[in-house]
Amino acid sequence: MNKFRIGFGYDVHQLREGYDFWLGGIKLEHSKGAVGHSDADVLIHVICDALLGAANLRDIGHHFSDQDPEYKGIDSKILLADVLKMIREKGYEIGNLDTTICLQLPKVNPHIDTMKTCLSEVMGISEEDISIKATTTEKLGFVGRQEGVSAYCVALVYKNN
């Protein structure tokens, strides 16, 4: 019998000129980038939080503190690989991920397939098990004013008993 669990992730990063914009493990060309202690990849961060939550392992900040210089500027794909090790040590595998990126500009849709390929390679799962959607906020709020980016993720994990 399989044991199923779900986890949820939400994250926000400020956008500023002069920063690289990493999203879903790839670098997007844009006049602004996300600000954070790591590379500020909001999509990978919500995936990490959803997976950690599903396995009852707290959150990304608990494992990779923004006060720790070891993680300054780190590639979030490294953090994601570490999270996969953690959940797999508890006997969990990923069923699927469903994500939504909230961003006014740049447009995300042209990059979704590349992001799915990148993430599938890092996690060792099929691209078919990774859903990435994008939406604007119709120019409302901090996302609409291009001050920030946010993302959501729901993850289904399972354990064979």
Side-chain angles (χ1 to χ4, degrees):
M1 178 172 158
N2 288 335
K3 179 175 183 176
F4 294 93
R5 294 177 63 110
I6 60 167
F8 174 75
Y10 171 72
D11 197 20
V12 173
H13 283 278
Q14 186 179 54
L15 294 175
R16 271 199 227 144
E17 291 182 10
Y19 287 81
D20 289 337
F21 196 3
W22 288 93
L23 192 62
I26 66 170
K27 185 177 173 183
L28 301 183
E29 293 301 320
H30 191 57
S31 61
K32 295 180 179 179
V35 179
H37 186 69
S38 66
D39 65 6
D41 188 323
V42 71
L43 185 59
I44 289 182
H45 294 179
V46 296
I47 292 170
C48 288
D49 265 349
L51 292 170
L52 289 167
N56 196 19
L57 290 169
R58 298 193 57 176
D59 60 42
I60 191 171
H62 176 76
H63 294 282
F64 312 107
S65 170
D66 63 4
Q67 303 301 306
D68 189 335
E70 176 183 354
Y71 302 117
K72 179 72 177 156
I74 194 167
D75 182 336
S76 290
K77 293 186 292 292
I78 295 168
L79 304 180
L80 180 57
D82 286 349
V83 166
L84 266 289
K85 287 177 195 166
M86 287 181 226
I87 70 163
R88 288 181 173 145
E89 283 173 2
K90 283 191 78 171
Y92 290 104
E93 286 296 328
I94 298 171
N96 73 299
L97 303 171
D98 185 20
T99 68
T100 301
I101 302 163
C102 304
L103 182 65
Q104 197 67 39
L105 288 173
K107 294 297 182 191
V108 174
N109 282 326
H111 307 286
I112 287 177
D113 288 340
T114 307
M115 286 187 229
K116 286 175 69 167
T117 299
C118 176
L119 293 170
S120 125
E121 290 171 1
V122 173
M123 292 185 282
I125 65 173
S126 169
E127 290 180 35
E128 196 57 33
D129 295 326
I130 304 168
S131 169
I132 301 174
K133 304 177 305 295
T135 188
T136 66
T137 57
E138 301 297 329
K139 300 184 180 179
L140 297 173
F142 70 87
V143 170
R145 292 187 302 270
Q146 300 180 50
E147 297 170 353
V149 56
S150 65
Y152 300 87
C153 178
V154 177
L156 177 72
V157 300
Y158 64 92
K159 182 188 286 191
N160 293 319
N161 289 336

